[in-house]
Amino acid sequence: MASDLHFHVHVAAPTLEVGTPPVPRGFPAVASPVSSTLIAGDHDAVLVDTPWSHEHMAALIDWVDSFDRNLTAVYITHGHGDHWFGTPALLEHHPNAKVYATADVSAYIARQHKHRGSMWESRFPGQICQGQINPEPVPDGGISLEGNALQVVELGHTDTDDTTGLWVPSIRLLVAGDSVYNHCHQYLNEAAHGGLESWYRALDIIQALDPVYVVAGHKDVAQPDDGGAVERTRKYLQTFEQLTREEGQTREEFFDEMIRLFPGYANPKALWRSIVSAVA
């Protein structure tokens, strides 16, 4: 008989970047807050995504251990390093946990590892966890947790290529990775050449599951993990897309309008970089 499952969310705090040009209106240049989700049964647990810095991982390991569960698996939703760089540190404390990802995500992880110096360590010197991971393919029936199947949902391009979510049907939970953001400015640097259309399709896939709970890959720690985050993500994308079509506005005016329309959203730096990528 399958155990009842519960989930818990840990959010790694934003981290200040080194040597990054300032963001308009005095906002700090930081990395977005990153969520990790522990899906727990009576005795075992599965973790989805890990953060990336030594400080983040010390806090996450203590948090995982506080639930007194046997960690059997770690699932990585996509290849961006801020969602997996810390996994080797976690495995030092939980060596029997298996690491899973899709084949496409595993290939992305290998590329990200190769370029971590230029892409990450230059902005966060001395902070990035080291070590490589080689995820296993997810079993055909999904990741098993005390009689419950945790199922991979292929989502395609969202804020990067080959993203996925992990669906827990028994509690109608989708751990969405970066396909969903929750009260946090979205990373749209990779949105050219049909990226937004693909992201809208991913959101359609998620909504068709009719989830009760959705954990966003980047979120404000104070926000609930509810299904409404999916539609809020869509609204943000649609608004950004609409503003890119407006003629005669400066990047700063674009930025100010998004800040006005989405007040209090975390990490305006991500918005500014998205605008620089989208507007000549």
Side-chain angles (χ1 to χ4, degrees):
M1 187 172 179
S3 297
D4 293 336
L5 300 182
H6 306 274
F7 76 97
H8 311 272
V9 180
H10 179 276
V11 180
T15 304
L16 190 66
E17 296 188 12
V18 174
T20 300
V23 179
R25 315 306 178 220
F27 289 105
V30 297
S32 289
V34 181
S35 70
S36 300
T37 303
L38 190 75
I39 305 164
D42 294 334
H43 306 287
D44 298 335
V46 171
L47 184 71
V48 185
D49 289 346
T50 67
W52 51 272
S53 79
H54 299 296
E55 183 177 356
H56 289 152
M57 288 310 301
L60 181 78
I61 289 166
D62 286 346
W63 178 79
V64 169
D65 290 348
S66 72
F67 293 97
D68 195 25
R69 297 293 191 276
N70 173 40
L71 188 67
T72 61
V74 181
Y75 179 72
I76 308 299
T77 59
H78 65 287
H80 279 161
D82 55 339
H83 292 261
W84 68 265
F85 279 152
T87 303
L90 179 71
L91 295 177
E92 291 180 7
H93 292 260
H94 296 276
N96 295 323
K98 293 185 176 182
V99 181
Y100 293 110
T102 65
D104 288 334
V105 170
S106 292
Y108 198 134
I109 284 171
R111 295 193 300 272
Q112 189 91 149
H113 175 70
K114 183 178 180 180
H115 298 291
R116 71 166 69 207
S118 59
M119 297 177 67
W120 290 93
E121 291 171 359
S122 60
R123 292 183 291 139
F124 304 101
Q127 298 181 64
I128 307 293
C129 291
Q130 300 300 305
Q132 176 62 308
I133 56 172
N134 297 291
E136 300 180 24
V138 176
D140 289 341
I143 301 171
S144 179
L145 177 58
E146 296 188 2
N148 296 273
L150 315 185
Q151 302 165 354
V152 174
V153 180
E154 299 267 11
L155 296 169
H157 183 96
T158 58
D159 80 347
T160 193
D161 291 337
D162 304 315
T163 60
T164 72
L166 194 66
W167 173 236
V168 187
S170 65
I171 54 175
R172 308 202 67 76
L173 163 70
L174 181 76
V175 186
D178 283 4
S179 64
V180 176
Y181 282 58
N182 194 346
H183 214 78
C184 186
H185 287 289
Q186 295 172 208
Y187 170 79
L188 299 171
N189 296 44
E190 301 177 38
H193 310 299
L196 291 184
E197 289 78 7
S198 177
W199 202 332
Y200 293 139
R201 289 193 295 271
L203 297 175
D204 291 341
I205 291 170
I206 293 170
Q207 288 185 311
L209 294 170
D210 192 24
V212 174
Y213 308 105
V214 176
V215 180
H218 296 291
K219 60 164 291 183
D220 182 329
V221 67
Q223 296 300 311
D225 300 300
D226 63 349
V230 181
E231 194 55 38
R232 292 194 293 274
T233 298
R234 188 189 302 274
K235 179 181 178 182
Y236 187 99
L237 294 173
Q238 291 171 334
T239 304
F240 187 94
E241 186 176 21
Q242 179 181 352
L243 288 174
T244 61
R245 299 193 183 108
E246 294 193 4
E247 297 181 0
Q249 68 177 345
T250 66
R251 289 173 173 174
E252 288 76 11
E253 289 169 340
F254 189 161
F255 181 84
D256 288 343
E257 182 65 2
M258 288 291 290
I259 293 293
R260 183 185 72 81
L261 293 170
F262 298 94
Y265 271 41
N267 196 10
K269 181 220 71 180
L271 167 62
W272 178 244
R273 286 187 174 172
S274 298
I275 291 170
V276 169
S277 296
V279 179

